[in-house]
Amino acid sequence: MQVLAVHPEVVVAKSVKWQTTCTVVHHGDESFVIDSPLYPEELESLPSLLQQMGWGLSGLLSTHADFDHLLGRLAFPNASLGVSETTAARLKAEMGDAARRLRDFDVDDYVQRLRPLQLGDVQALPVPGRLDIGPSALELVPSEGHTHDGMAIWVPWANVLIPGDYLSPVELPWLQEQGSRTAYLATLGRLKPYVEQADWVVSGHGGPIDAARALAIMREDVAYLQALGDGDAAGRAALPLARRDRRMREVHAHNVARVAAHEGAR
Ligand SMILES: [Zn+2]
């Protein structure tokens, strides 16, 4: 796992698996751990990372309810977990799903864990909204489209945006089962003013990138999603150069099916 400080109070840990990011934000005498790495050794190193920094944990946050972003509880079993109201509703509707998906992941990858994932109670945060941290506050921005739940997190004193699975340098815009192309485009529009003033954008997958690169990715993603509305061939032609390998073409095929089911054949 790579660990990188993008600001004296913002540290990013990047999992070996899917380049999934976990961001620790500190201010005053409070710290939040946002999202999570995947592997047990990576999770186990988080408490000592905080200890090294001299930061006490205030709570966990997750950008959305996909299982790979919910594993913080495995590292900090007693911490509270804050999520958007939409994510809290999804977790309730899909009770046990994240734990099941993690079990499948572990079986596929021969991963052994000491305990199963138990989310228990989560704290539903109003989004859009603000979450106090020390003398400042994190800004919570609704982010739907990849899934039908979630929030992006803006760290105003550090100019860092943690958008969840949007603006990834390694993953194509991915419309999951409940995802929506039009909602995705709306989220990108909502995130744009934050990206424009960001020093760093830390997507759910891939390392921290600067605003220029994030805006370039945003342009590619808008072009791809607009083309996707015109069908498979148009979408394939608009696949970003750096994100058109075998795996991303599979994601594209999935997106085509999603748009056909959601918006009807064109
Ligand atoms: Zn993800």
Side-chain angles (χ1 to χ4, degrees):
M1 183 169 70
Q2 258 178 32
V3 178
L4 185 73
V6 296
H7 177 276
E9 294 186 317
V10 183
V11 171
V12 179
K14 190 172 81 173
S15 176
V16 169
K17 187 70 180 180
W18 298 325
Q19 299 195 37
T20 309
T21 61
C22 169
T23 306
V24 188
V25 179
H26 176 79
H27 205 48
D29 51 12
E30 289 199 85
S31 315
F32 287 97
V33 171
I34 303 167
D35 289 352
S36 57
L38 271 290
Y39 288 125
E41 318 79 71
E42 297 177 329
L43 287 158
E44 279 158 24
S45 71
L46 289 178
S48 52
L49 174 68
L50 262 82
Q51 213 165 29
Q52 266 170 36
M53 306 296 294
W55 296 351
L57 182 70
S58 313
L60 306 168
L61 299 172
S62 288
T63 56
H64 60 299
D66 286 355
F67 86 92
D68 51 327
H69 302 269
L70 287 175
L71 308 185
R73 274 274 175 77
L74 292 171
F76 305 99
N78 302 316
S80 70
L81 170 61
V83 297
S84 69
E85 283 164 339
T86 51
T87 293
R90 179 177 158 199
L91 287 171
K92 201 169 168 192
E94 300 178 354
M95 191 76 83
D97 185 68
R100 247 185 327 270
R101 283 177 193 261
L102 178 63
R103 257 194 329 266
D104 289 346
F105 167 82
D106 287 346
V107 167
D108 288 345
D109 269 36
Y110 308 163
V111 176
Q112 286 187 313
R113 286 183 208 269
L114 292 177
R115 49 177 172 264
L117 178 64
Q118 280 174 327
L119 290 176
D121 284 342
V122 300
Q123 196 189 343
L125 305 169
V127 178
R130 293 160 67 82
L131 178 65
D132 288 341
I133 172 169
S136 188
L138 300 171
E139 247 179 80
L140 311 178
V141 182
S143 63
E144 287 120 40
H146 166 59
T147 56
H148 62 302
D149 68 297
M151 61 179 176
I153 299 170
W154 171 246
V155 187
W157 69 93
N159 295 329
V160 174
L161 178 68
I162 300 147
D165 282 5
Y166 302 85
L167 301 170
S168 169
V170 297
E171 192 173 271
L172 202 62
W174 188 342
L175 310 177
Q176 298 201 348
E177 288 72 23
Q178 310 273 355
S180 149
R181 189 181 68 89
T182 49
Y184 203 119
L185 283 164
T187 291
L188 290 179
R190 206 175 303 127
L191 294 180
K192 196 170 181 203
Y194 295 95
V195 177
E196 282 168 344
Q197 32 170 335
D199 289 334
W200 294 100
V201 174
V202 186
S203 174
H205 302 277
I209 54 176
D210 64 18
R213 179 126 184 255
L215 285 168
I217 288 170
M218 180 174 280
R219 282 191 294 274
E220 288 181 342
D221 289 358
V222 167
Y224 168 70
L225 289 163
Q226 283 172 344
L228 189 63
D230 294 326
D232 182 8
R236 211 167 342 123
L239 282 176
L241 211 55
R243 290 174 288 161
R244 53 168 65 164
D245 60 13
R246 177 187 58 77
R247 180 68 188 127
M248 289 304 111
R249 290 198 307 272
E250 286 171 9
V251 172
H252 166 67
H254 181 94
N255 288 343
V256 170
R258 182 84 347 251
V259 169
H262 216 245
E263 301 178 34
R266 300 214 181 184

